[in-house]
Structures are given as C-alpha cells and as structure tokens.
Amino acid sequence: MNVFFETEHLLVRELEPEDAEQLYANHAEEKVKQWFPNECYADLNEAKDAIQFFRDCVDGEHLPFVLAIQLKETGELIGDTGVSEVEGEPDAVEIGYQICDRYSGRGLATEALRAMTEFAFDRFKATASYGRVVHGNGASARVLEKGGYTFVREEFGAEDDPYGNGMLVFVCRK
C-alpha cells in the first residue's frame, strides 16, 4: 500500500484495484449524484477504469493526482481527494474531495482537505489551490472555509457545472 500522507484519523494513499467496489458505492451515493452527477460511475467497470487511470497518473507524477481516503480506525475506504491543473495558471491546482455519507459531518473532509492542500503545495510546488463548489452546496463551501480557503468569485458557464447555476470559487494561497 502506497501511503502518501496521514492525518490524525486518515491515511491518504494510492487507489488500489480492490477499491473499485467501494469507490463505485461511494460515488453512487445520493449526495454525490446531487452535487457531482458527472463524478458518478456508470458501473463497476467504469470505476475500475478510473482507478487504473488515476494509478497511471500517480505513477507518472502528473495531474490529475487522485488518492484514496482511508479511515485509520477501520481501514475502510471512505472517500477520495485529488488535485488537477488550473487552465492558465501553471502554479495553481484545483482540489477536490469526497467523503461518503456515513462519515460526513465529522470534520473528516476538512481534515483531508487541509492535508491535501499542504501536500499539493509541497509535491507540485503550487502557490495557490482552488476549490469550486456547485452553487447551493453549502456543506462543501463550509469545508473549504474551515480548511483555510477564502471565497473569491462566482463562475458561470463552466463545462463541469451540472445545472448551469454557477460555481462558487475559493482559494488558498501558500
């Protein structure tokens, strides 16, 4: 198991092929479907393919760099987090995170976000990390704020805006 970093409650590691069923289940939850319908896998094979793609990116040290979030106490895969490039800003990354419903509301998303932000600053020499939230997703906006991110603007017309209502953009600078 390739662990990249750990926090008080979490191990953040490379996704493994045997994570496919849980990754698929985590991304099939209603809150993921509600806020990130484009991040739900169509079936188990698509989750397996995604894991292989993410592993290839991690092995090649390039973005997107997506990792598994594992609960230390149980060893359960409870989410994932990653960074991707920001078009037009070579020294910036965009961060994403997802914690399964059963573990939401416990501060674990904030814990993962803070650690992944520091990891991105160190590993990719980023000077800024952005987080984007679908308009209306107050819980995710609060995670970003608790994680040290500041609201900077609303964005409209983004390709990944599932409803066309706009995205809230937050930033954390090194």
Side-chain angles (χ1 to χ4, degrees):
M1 178 170 44
N2 189 4
V3 175
F4 283 86
F5 56 89
E6 61 183 272
T7 66
E8 182 180 353
H9 301 101
L10 308 170
L11 290 177
V12 180
R13 60 169 175 79
E14 188 170 19
L15 283 158
E16 300 289 342
E18 49 274 2
D19 292 327
E21 283 187 37
Q22 191 61 52
L23 181 70
Y24 174 72
N26 289 352
H27 281 257
E29 290 184 345
E30 287 305 314
K31 75 172 184 175
V32 177
K33 288 180 185 178
Q34 177 185 4
W35 298 116
F36 307 104
N38 58 333
E39 293 188 19
C40 297
Y41 299 111
D43 55 33
L44 185 57
N45 284 331
E46 189 176 44
K48 289 177 182 178
D49 291 345
I51 288 172
Q52 188 55 57
F53 172 74
F54 295 142
R55 288 175 61 81
D56 290 345
C57 291
V58 167
D59 291 346
E61 291 282 325
H62 61 82
L63 304 178
F65 205 89
V66 178
L67 301 171
I69 300 173
Q70 178 179 319
L71 191 62
K72 280 183 182 179
E73 184 180 336
T74 65
E76 180 181 358
L77 177 71
I78 65 166
D80 52 88
T81 184
V83 294
S84 57
E85 65 185 321
V86 175
E87 192 174 317
E89 289 192 54
D91 295 334
V93 295
E94 181 177 324
I95 198 161
Y97 50 88
Q98 181 269 327
I99 298 289
C100 66
D101 227 10
R102 188 167 67 241
Y103 291 101
S104 65
R106 299 182 188 188
L108 297 173
T110 303
E111 187 175 322
L113 171 68
R114 286 179 179 148
M116 188 63 170
T117 301
E118 286 304 313
F119 176 81
F121 286 157
D122 293 341
R123 183 75 163 235
F124 299 105
K125 307 302 180 217
T127 58
S129 178
Y130 290 92
R132 296 167 59 247
V133 177
V134 174
H135 207 284
N137 186 350
S140 197
R142 284 188 298 281
V143 167
L144 286 165
E145 290 169 342
K146 288 178 188 175
Y149 285 67
T150 304
F151 174 77
V152 289
R153 69 180 178 276
E154 285 187 85
E155 176 182 271
F156 295 94
E159 288 180 21
D160 60 344
D161 179 356
Y163 306 112
N165 295 332
M167 306 282 275
L168 305 177
V169 181
F170 295 78
V171 68
C172 180
R173 299 201 183 275
K174 185 170 184 181

